Every structure is written in C-alpha cells, then in structure tokens.
C-alpha cells in the first residue's frame, strides 16, 4: 500500500519534444503529490506539486496531471531542453510520510 | 539560508570501521529525515525526527545503524560496523511540519565501504 510505481525507468527525448513520466500509487490516504528533480551530485529538489482536489497544475513548461479515480499522476515537460536532463522522482505523502517512486532518468538530446 | 548542510560529501572507509554522517537542517525546521539512495532500491527513508524525537525508525536496516538528534540544529547517522552493502548516497532532508510539506534535501554524502 505504501508503494509508488514510476515509469519509464529512463527516457530520451529530442530538444523541443515533450517528456512524459507516469506514476501510480495505492494508498488513498495520500494527499500531496510532489515531483522532485535531481541533478548528478546534488540532492533532490522540489519541482512542482499537486493536491488531489485539482486535476492539473501547470508551472511554466512543467505540468502535473492527476487522476484521482485511477490513482495515477504524471509529469509533462513541454519544449524539453538539454538542461532538463536529470533524474525525476514522483512522490506521494500524507503528513510527514513521504514515499518516493524509483526515479526516471531523462536525457534531452540537443 | 544555506540550506541543509551535510558532511562529509564523500567518505571511503574499510569494512568494519565506524562511519558517522552529519547533518545540519535548515534553521527553523522541526522535522528531519535521513534517506539512503541506491540504484537498486531508490530513495529509502531510514528515520524521521520531529522536534528532535525519533518518530519513525522502521526504515533503519539493522542494529548497525543508529541516528541521533541532540538538538534542533544537528543530527548524526552512525554505521558501526560498516559493510560494503552500506555503500550508497545518504541524504538528510528537513522541513517544518506546520508550514507546508516540501522536504528540502542536502547534497548528500556518498559512502563507499571497501
């Protein structure tokens, strides 16, 4: 029930393309769904987050789509840039109980 | 604020030795988390402190691991004795449980046990 599944494991996108990463959770008690971005040698940093009372949240080129009934959420990166190349983690939390997905390594080719 | 500060950034030690990792959370934060990151298992929560008290240590792998938070500005994660399978990147993160839910991560300590 605590598991968060994430796919794909790795993703290669051309510059200007759309990157899509999907996550699924099981525990319906989760009420906060953040995405973290991690560059090599750095700690994860919050990118964008959503709560289940909305179905979509957009911040610049980054959009979270949330499907509460399916218990799924996804990250869309529009106009992907080489600087977006990093590992992306979805997470689900209730209070201070954070559960992270296994991560997606994104490579954006110039 | 300088963010969450971890030391050392890299640690190489021999099997059987004691290893101590250190963390200074962001000032004003009252929650602190220790995570371990490996390719195989991803990010795993080891232990969570709130107001310097350990709340959830169910992720601590075994008795060789121990964590302390003697005050609001310092925490340690100790491994004694260390084993090669402990090789990983260890992250400390902090937040304030009453002011949003984002966890702020340090830059991590890369531990290699040979």
């Amino acid at each position: 029930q605590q598991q968060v599944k994430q796919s794909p494991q790795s993703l290669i996108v051309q510059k200007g393309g759309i990157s899509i990463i999907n996550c699924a959770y099981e525990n319906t008690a989760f009420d906060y769904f953040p995405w973290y971005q991690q560059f090599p040698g750095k700690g994860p940093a919050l990118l964008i987050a959503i709560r289940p009372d909305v179905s979509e949240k957009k911040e610049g080129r980054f959009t979270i789509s949330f499907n509460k009934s399916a218990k799924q959420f996804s990250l869309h990166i529009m106009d992907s840039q080489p600087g977006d190349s990093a590992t992306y983690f979805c997470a689900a939390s209730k209070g201070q109980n954070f559960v992270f997905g296994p991560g997606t390594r994104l490579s954006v080719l110039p | 604020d300088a963010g969450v500060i971890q030391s050392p950034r890299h640690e190489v030690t021999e099997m059987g030795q004691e290893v101590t990792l250190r963390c200074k959370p962001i000032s004003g934060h009252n929650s602190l988390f220790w995570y371990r990151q490996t390719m195989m298992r991803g990010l795993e929560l080891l232990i969570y402190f709130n107001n310097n008290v350990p709340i959830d240590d169910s992720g601590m792998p075994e008795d060789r691991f121990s964590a302390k938070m003697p005050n609001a500005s310092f925490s340690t994660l100790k491994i004694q004795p260390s084993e090669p399978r402990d090789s990983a990147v260890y992250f400390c993160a902090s937040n304030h449980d009453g002011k949003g839910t984002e966890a702020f991560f340090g830059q991590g300590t890369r531990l290699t046990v040979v």
Side-chain angles (χ1 to χ4, degrees):
Chain A
Q1 274 239 321
Q2 289 288 79
Q3 191 178 11
V4 174
K5 297 179 181 179
Q6 183 174 347
S7 64
Q9 188 175 12
S10 62
L11 181 61
I12 299 175
V13 174
Q14 292 285 341
K15 178 182 176 181
I18 302 173
S19 304
I20 302 174
I21 305 171
N22 301 297
C23 284
Y25 63 98
E26 298 172 355
N27 188 347
T28 55
F30 289 136
D31 60 4
Y32 179 70
F33 302 88
W35 285 88
Y36 281 80
Q37 180 186 54
Q38 184 180 26
F39 293 106
K42 303 291 186 183
L46 180 68
L47 181 64
I48 186 173
I50 196 168
R51 293 199 179 271
D53 52 343
V54 296
S55 60
E56 185 175 284
K57 182 173 182 180
K58 182 176 181 180
E59 290 184 359
R61 297 184 293 109
F62 301 91
T63 300
I64 301 179
S65 297
F66 187 83
N67 185 330
K68 187 175 181 178
S69 61
K71 293 186 286 186
Q72 295 175 349
F73 58 111
S74 60
L75 175 69
H76 291 62
I77 305 174
M78 310 299 290
D79 187 26
S80 299
Q81 299 296 312
D84 297 331
S85 297
T87 300
Y88 292 81
F89 295 92
C90 63
S93 75
K94 173 67 176 178
Q96 295 290 59
N97 176 25
F98 286 83
V99 180
F100 286 86
T104 295
R105 179 169 290 186
L106 171 65
S107 297
V108 181
L109 303 180
Chain B
D1 199 310
V4 176
I5 300 173
Q6 292 186 246
S7 63
R9 289 295 311 277
H10 303 275
E11 177 79 36
V12 180
T13 190
E14 292 185 346
M15 182 174 64
Q17 296 298 305
E18 176 181 296
V19 176
T20 299
L21 310 182
R22 296 172 175 79
C23 175
K24 175 178 169 56
I26 292 174
S27 176
H29 285 184
N30 67 347
S31 296
L32 184 140
F33 309 81
W34 281 102
Y35 286 91
R36 178 170 66 178
Q37 185 177 42
T38 61
M39 288 294 294
M40 291 297 295
R41 301 173 70 91
L43 269 167
E44 302 175 276
L45 177 66
L46 300 178
I47 188 168
Y48 155 53
F49 291 88
N50 185 258
N51 294 321
N52 311 337
V53 175
I55 302 300
D56 180 2
D57 65 354
S58 59
M60 295 288 263
E62 48 197 276
D63 292 346
R64 298 185 297 106
F65 285 69
S66 62
K68 294 182 179 180
M69 192 164 187
N71 57 61
S73 59
F74 184 66
S75 177
T76 59
L77 177 68
K78 185 177 294 186
I79 308 173
Q80 165 64 15
S82 58
E83 297 182 4
R85 61 192 169 117
D86 301 331
S87 298
V89 181
Y90 291 81
F91 287 102
C92 176
S94 71
N95 70 6
H96 193 293
D97 62 357
K99 297 181 180 178
T101 47
E102 177 183 357
F104 294 82
F105 283 78
Q107 297 209 57
T109 295
R110 180 174 294 276
L111 173 65
T112 303
V113 183
V114 298

